[in-house]
Every structure is written in C-alpha cells, then in structure tokens.
C-alpha cells in the first residue's frame, strides 16, 4: 500500500492567519474541500474560496462563547479514523462522518497573554481546548492525516504540497506530527508552569534549539536552547561557540552584582574572573582589570556595566579576546572593535534571568534556586577586636561579589576595588590561598593592605596565618565552623579584622 496520500479535505481553524492565504489558495486549486470555523471561516470566504462551516457537519453551533466549536464525534471521527481498518470505514459510512485528511490549527497565545500581565480571567480564556485536541488527534493518526500545528510550519507545508501535487508521504506526515507534539507539549508545559506552586515538580520546554559548531570539544555535538536575541544584539563577529556561551553566562551573572556601581569591567576565562576593577571611567576599569592577569586575559570574554567609548575600545583592541559585552558601544568604539573580524560584540539588554539553575546529574537533573544573596553592609558581623575601615569594608564586599562567582574552593584578594588575584577550583582552601598569593606576586601586586574573601568558612587558622604573611589586613567569610574561634583568635592576636556574612557561596 502506497504511503503517498492525496489531500482531498481539510479542517482549518487558526488564531494567527499570517501566511495562510497561499495555502488556502493552493488547496482550493486542487479541489480540496475546506471546513472551518469562526474568524478563519470568514477569512477564507473573503478570499472568495468556498468553505463548509463546521456547524453544517456537526449540526451544532459554536456555543459557550466559542469554548465549544469543534469538539464533536463527526469532527474527531473524520480525523481519527483508520483508513485501512474495515470497522472504521463502515462506521464512517454509518454515521455519515466526512473524511478529514488535513488539519491546520494553531493555539490561543497563552504565553504571550501571561507575559503581557493580563488579568487571570483573560489568561484562563487563552487555554486552548479544541485546538490542542485537534492537534493531538491528527498527530496520533499521522498514518492518514496531516497536521500543521504552527504558523512557523506554514512555509514547509506549502513547499511540501507544491512539490507533491497536494499529496504527502508517510515520512512527511510523521515529521509534521513530531512538530505538532512539540507544540502541544510546549503549550501544556507553559500552562503547568503558570499554575504550579510545588517546587518538587519540574517541567521545562524550550523551542528552536540553535545548533552550535560543536560542544565543549570538537567531538561533542552542541546546542543552545533559549532566546539569545532577547538578551543580546549581536553587532559583529563569528558564531558563538558552546564555550563562548558558558563564559558569556558567567560574565553576565557576575556583572549583575555590579550593575548599579561606577564603571566596572571584568575579564573572564573558563567561567572565572581573571580581572575585575571599578573605576571612574570604563578605560581605567578595563586597564586595571587587565592588570589582574594579563596572561589569562588572552582569548577571554570581556564585560562592562557601562557603555564602551572610543578610549576604552582602543585599549581593548590591543588584546586578543573572543567576546566583548556591554550595554552599549559608541559608534567610534564599534568601528575600532570591528577591526578584528572574528571578535564578537554583544549589546546586552535588560532581561530577567532564570530564578532556577538546572544541570544534568546521574540519570536525572539537579534543580536549585539561584544564589540571589549579595553580601552587603547589613549582613556583616565584625567578630574581631579590630574592625575593618570604611575602605576595607568596600573592598571586602567587592571581593565577596567576585568570590560568589568563582569556582570553589576559592580565595579572592582585592584592594581599592581591583581584583589582585584569586585561587580557583582547588581541592583545599589552603591551596586556593597559596595559588592566589603566587598569582598576585607574579603580576607584581603588593598585597599589603589588601583584603581577602573566602567562599566558605575556615576550619583551621592556617588560611588567616598565610593571609597575614602575605599582607592581608581584613577578611570576609561566612563563618559557621565549630572552630571559628581559632581563626578569630589569630586575627585578634595579629591586628587583623574579620567579618562574618552568615552566607556561604559555594560554586561547584
């Protein structure tokens, strides 16, 4: 039995009629009987094309304010009947059910209505019942029925029936069914998310994945699922890679901590800040961020919390970097930075970031609330005899923000709102501290008078001992060790200030 089936009848009932006209005209040109309802029926009639109202098939009008139009055995029988099943064929004749070979339907715009801030009554009315049922029925019966469930698929469908003289193959019908089930599952997920208040349930559906060149390494496939264009306008450069996107994500989340501060510039490599500074101008902030680790900055991702001007751009242009992100670029800055054809320039827009973090784990997922606590003055508890000076408090909070976005175990040194060095991703806090000291000295930073931040408590006084030897005068940490007193006592004996925040900022 041939899998090629010619369309002889169609049910069309859509919310969005953009792009529908050429399909309707093509179907009419092949003498396809068209059934329709409401606004779509009127639309087709206005094209001068004959259309059969669904009410004529069901002998029922649209009722309950339009909530019930197509929910009827004569409609769903026409869609769901199996054309190679003798019993189905007999019942179609017995009950005078018309065959429906094609269903074109789209759904009420539920997500757009929620996003618009509409009252709940309007949102509830945008929960489609008939449409979703038609989609599932036609997709289930893809062996005999074609389903076009989204305006995004209109062009593909038109191309298909033009090529096949208004017929479809089984493979084509299966493809459209797959697309339809994606539409229905995505729609149901959006509705569930709107209603759900139980964090032990997790559902996610993201459409239109972007194919990346490869994943973390060339032998791995990579995809990005998300609305990149909502967050950024790309001005220039090559396509972003999997690793670029991870670094961009890390950069954006880090700079959120400084979005209301004076001009702040950060340079990231492998998701960690290797340079960061706050200064009166973007140029100064960039130069002092670069000084934090000019070696690691090579090939890094750069981000500014302020628009980049020509002066800053001329300095940035001296560095090989993958991505530059800012809320804006002056026309002169853009011209300078575009001199490197592969350098990616992104204008960042104000966009809400997800409140949940999700990652694969074993044979499932780990989901957690985002770490939305930013340490501030009100959180600080001075636990030593010596209190930090006002300048030290500013540096402690500055260092804490960086520490929060650096891989554990981590130690961060800062002075005068400049990242001096950090120890990242070490298996012990002492190793992280030693790494930070070595890096600071290798780039000629004098740590005398600098401050130290730790992402977790000190179980022993060895870290503050090493910090003192390096010249650190003030320390910020969450506290909470049963041996906190050991570190506190050492600080008291050595005229160091220590503050507790009460909040741990592990980042694994």
């Amino acid at each position: 039995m041939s899998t090629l089936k010619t369309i002889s009848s169609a049910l069309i009932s859509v919310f969005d009629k953009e792009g529908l006209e050429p399909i309707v005209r093509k179907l009419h040109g092949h003498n396809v009987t068209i059934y329709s309802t409401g606004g779509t029926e009127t639309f087709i009639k206005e094209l001068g094309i004959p259309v059969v109202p669904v009410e004529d098939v069901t002998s029922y009008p649209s009722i309950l304010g339009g909530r019930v139009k197509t929910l009827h055995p004569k409609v769903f029988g026409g869609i769901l009947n199996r054309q190679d099943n003798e019993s189905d064929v007999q019942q179609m004749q017995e009950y005078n059910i018309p065959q429906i070979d094609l269903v074109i339907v789209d759904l009420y715009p539920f997500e757009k209505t929620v996003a618009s801030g509409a009252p709940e009554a309007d949102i509830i009315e945008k929960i489609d019942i008939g449409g979703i049922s038609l989609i599932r029925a036609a997709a289930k019966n893809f062996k005999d029925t074609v389903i076009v469930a989204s305006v995004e698929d209109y062009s593909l469908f038109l191309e298909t029936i033009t090529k096949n003289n208004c017929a479809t193959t089984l493979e084509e019908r299966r493809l459209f069914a797959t697309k339809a089930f994606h539409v229905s599952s995505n729609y149901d997920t959006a509705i569930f998310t709107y209603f759900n208040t139980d964090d032990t349930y997790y559902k996610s559906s993201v459409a239109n994945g972007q194919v990346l060149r490869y994943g973390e390494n060339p032998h791995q496939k990579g995809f990005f699922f998300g609305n990149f264009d909502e967050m950024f306008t790309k001005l220039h450069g090559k396509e972003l890679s999997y690793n670029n996107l991870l670094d961009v994500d890390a950069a954006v989340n880090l700079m959120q901590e400084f979005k209301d501060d004076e001009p702040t510039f950060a340079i990231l490599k492998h998701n960690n800040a290797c340079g960061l500074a706050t200064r009166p101008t973007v140029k100064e902030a960039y130069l002092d961020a670069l000084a934090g680790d000019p070696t690691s900055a090579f090939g890094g991702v750069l981000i500014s919390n302020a628009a980049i001007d020509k002066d800053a751009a001329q300095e940035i242009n001296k560095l090989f970097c993958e991505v530059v992100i800012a809320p804006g670029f002056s026309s002169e800055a853009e011209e300078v930075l575009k001199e490197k054809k592969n350098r990616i320039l992104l204008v960042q827009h104000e966009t809400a970031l997800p409140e949940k973090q999700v990652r694969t784990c074993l044979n499932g997922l780990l989901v957690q609330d985002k770490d939305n606590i930013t340490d501030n003055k009100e959180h600080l508890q001075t636990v030593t005899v010596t209190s930090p000076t006002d300048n030290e408090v500013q540096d402690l909070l500055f260092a804490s923000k960086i520490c929060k976005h650096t891989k554990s175990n981590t130690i961060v040194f800062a002075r005068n709102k400049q990242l001096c060095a950090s120890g990242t991703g070490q298996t012990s806090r002492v190793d992280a501290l030693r790494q930070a000291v070595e890096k600071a000295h290798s780039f000629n930073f004098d740590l005398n008078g600098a401050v130290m931040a730790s992402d977790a408590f000190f179980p022993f006084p060895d870290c503050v001992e090493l910090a003192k030897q390096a010249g650190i005068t003030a320390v910020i940490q969450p506290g909470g060790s049963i041996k906190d007193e050991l570190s506190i006592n050492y600080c008291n004996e050595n005229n160091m200030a220590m503050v507790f925040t009460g909040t741990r900022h592990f980042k694994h």
Side-chain angles (χ1 to χ4, degrees):
M1 182 176 180
S2 172
T3 67
L4 192 68
K5 288 187 176 290
T6 299
I7 297 169
S8 60
S9 58
L11 170 61
I12 306 176
S13 180
V14 300
F15 186 87
D16 188 346
K17 298 164 187 65
E18 184 71 29
L20 183 63
E21 180 179 345
I23 293 175
V24 172
R25 292 196 182 280
K26 176 66 70 175
L27 294 173
H28 176 59
H30 285 273
N31 299 315
V32 174
T33 301
I34 299 175
Y35 303 94
S36 192
T37 64
T40 309
E41 178 190 339
T42 301
F43 173 82
I44 295 171
K45 283 180 178 177
E46 289 175 351
L47 295 177
I49 293 172
V51 57
V52 180
V54 167
E55 291 94 326
D56 289 359
V57 176
T58 64
S59 300
Y60 270 91
S62 172
I63 61 173
L64 306 181
R67 282 188 164 195
V68 179
K69 291 180 284 193
T70 57
L71 295 169
H72 193 279
K74 283 199 172 183
V75 173
F76 282 86
I79 295 168
L80 282 164
N81 74 93
R82 295 158 292 187
Q83 294 178 23
D84 59 355
N85 183 291
E86 186 177 339
S87 175
D88 285 9
V89 172
Q90 289 177 352
Q91 288 186 339
M92 291 283 286
Q93 295 172 349
E94 179 182 355
Y95 296 108
N96 193 28
I97 299 173
Q99 179 68 43
I100 298 176
D101 303 313
L102 164 68
V103 175
I104 302 178
V105 62
D106 69 351
L107 301 171
Y108 294 154
F110 179 83
E111 289 179 274
K112 288 182 180 178
T113 306
V114 172
S116 73
E120 182 159 275
D122 292 348
I123 291 171
I124 299 303
E125 284 307 308
K126 289 298 184 287
I127 297 176
D128 207 313
I129 304 301
I132 202 79
S133 301
L134 290 169
I135 287 172
R136 290 179 65 84
K140 175 178 179 175
N141 201 35
F142 69 89
K143 282 182 63 180
D144 294 314
T145 309
V146 189
I147 173 63
V148 180
S150 170
V151 65
E152 294 178 3
D153 295 326
Y154 284 2
S155 60
L156 175 62
F157 176 68
L158 182 60
E159 178 186 322
T160 300
I161 59 175
T162 300
K163 175 187 67 176
N164 294 340
N165 202 28
C166 212
T168 60
T169 66
L170 180 61
E171 291 76 15
E172 288 165 343
R173 294 192 294 278
R174 188 183 188 95
L175 172 64
F176 281 110
T178 303
K179 290 175 173 289
F181 281 125
H182 167 69
V183 169
S184 66
S185 65
N186 190 69
Y187 195 75
D188 285 340
T189 298
I191 295 170
F192 168 80
T193 300
Y194 173 75
F195 281 98
N196 183 45
T197 58
D198 186 344
D199 285 343
T200 63
Y201 295 144
Y202 176 76
K203 295 184 189 298
S204 179
S205 179
V206 186
N208 302 322
Q210 176 186 345
V211 180
L212 304 174
R213 294 196 302 275
Y214 50 80
E216 203 163 8
N217 297 291
H219 62 278
Q220 296 168 268
K221 290 182 180 179
F223 306 87
F224 172 71
F225 293 90
N227 189 350
F228 186 84
D229 293 339
E230 181 184 12
M231 285 201 66
F232 302 102
T233 296
K234 183 182 171 190
L235 300 178
H236 181 70
K238 62 183 180 181
E239 292 302 312
L240 280 92
S241 69
Y242 182 97
N243 292 332
N244 288 156
L245 289 167
L246 285 176
D247 283 330
V248 168
D249 175 72
V252 166
N253 281 285
L254 171 60
M255 196 52 72
Q256 279 286 105
E257 307 284 348
F258 300 92
K259 66 177 182 178
D260 297 322
D261 292 5
E262 290 184 295
T264 300
F265 208 103
I267 304 172
L268 289 90
K269 197 72 173 288
H270 303 309
N271 303 169
N272 295 309
C274 58
L276 196 151
T278 299
R279 293 293 182 262
T281 68
V282 176
K283 176 183 174 180
E284 293 172 276
Y286 166 70
L287 289 173
D288 283 350
L290 179 64
D293 187 345
T295 301
S296 296
F298 182 86
V301 168
L302 282 57
I303 187 167
S304 171
N305 70 346
I308 293 177
D309 56 21
K310 182 180 179 180
D311 287 345
Q314 287 175 329
E315 294 297 333
I316 294 168
N317 200 39
K318 299 173 184 178
L319 175 72
F320 169 71
C321 55
E322 292 275 346
V323 185
V324 184
I325 309 164
F329 297 82
S330 72
S331 56
E332 297 90 344
E334 190 176 330
E335 183 178 349
V336 169
L337 293 173
K338 283 182 175 179
E339 289 178 7
K340 302 292 195 303
K341 69 175 184 177
N342 287 331
R343 180 186 286 143
I344 300 164
L345 304 182
L346 300 177
V347 176
Q348 183 182 349
H349 309 305
E350 280 286 336
T351 309
L353 296 172
E355 290 298 315
K356 299 285 185 184
Q357 293 179 317
V358 183
R359 65 196 300 182
T360 58
C361 181
L362 301 176
N363 60 350
L365 300 173
L366 283 173
V367 181
Q368 68 169 352
D369 294 334
K370 191 174 180 179
D371 183 357
N372 282 325
I373 295 178
T374 298
D375 298 328
N376 59 49
K377 278 187 177 182
E378 288 68 35
H379 296 149
L380 303 185
Q381 176 193 2
T382 301
V383 294
T384 50
V385 173
T386 300
S387 296
T389 65
D390 289 344
N391 285 340
E392 285 175 333
V393 168
Q394 290 185 32
D395 281 344
L396 288 168
L397 294 173
F398 175 90
S400 174
K401 291 176 180 179
I402 301 171
C403 196
K404 172 183 169 183
H405 293 274
T406 307
K407 293 285 186 181
S408 299
N409 286 313
T410 185
I411 291 291
V412 169
F413 295 147
R415 187 175 60 185
N416 298 328
K417 294 186 177 179
Q418 180 184 23
L419 172 61
C420 300
S422 60
T424 65
Q426 298 303 304
T427 51
S428 81
R429 203 157 303 282
V430 172
D431 285 344
L433 197 152
R434 286 176 175 148
Q435 183 191 58
V437 171
E438 183 180 345
K439 286 193 70 172
H441 290 162
S442 70
F443 295 115
N444 300 316
F445 278 100
D446 181 359
L447 294 177
N448 286 297
V451 305
M452 177 174 78
S454 173
D455 60 338
F457 61 63
F458 302 121
F460 304 103
D462 46 5
C463 283
V464 288
E465 291 174 15
L466 290 170
K468 172 64 178 177
Q469 293 169 18
I472 300 299
T473 56
V475 178
I476 185 170
Q477 61 134 317
S481 170
I482 59 173
K483 295 183 179 181
D484 276 341
E485 287 301 319
L486 296 177
S487 297
I488 294 170
N489 290 340
Y490 181 88
C491 289
N492 284 333
E493 292 164 5
N494 290 275
N495 198 33
M496 295 174 71
M498 181 182 284
V499 296
F500 286 179
T501 64
T503 303
R504 187 182 75 186
H505 294 294
F506 268 160
K507 185 171 185 281
H508 284 91

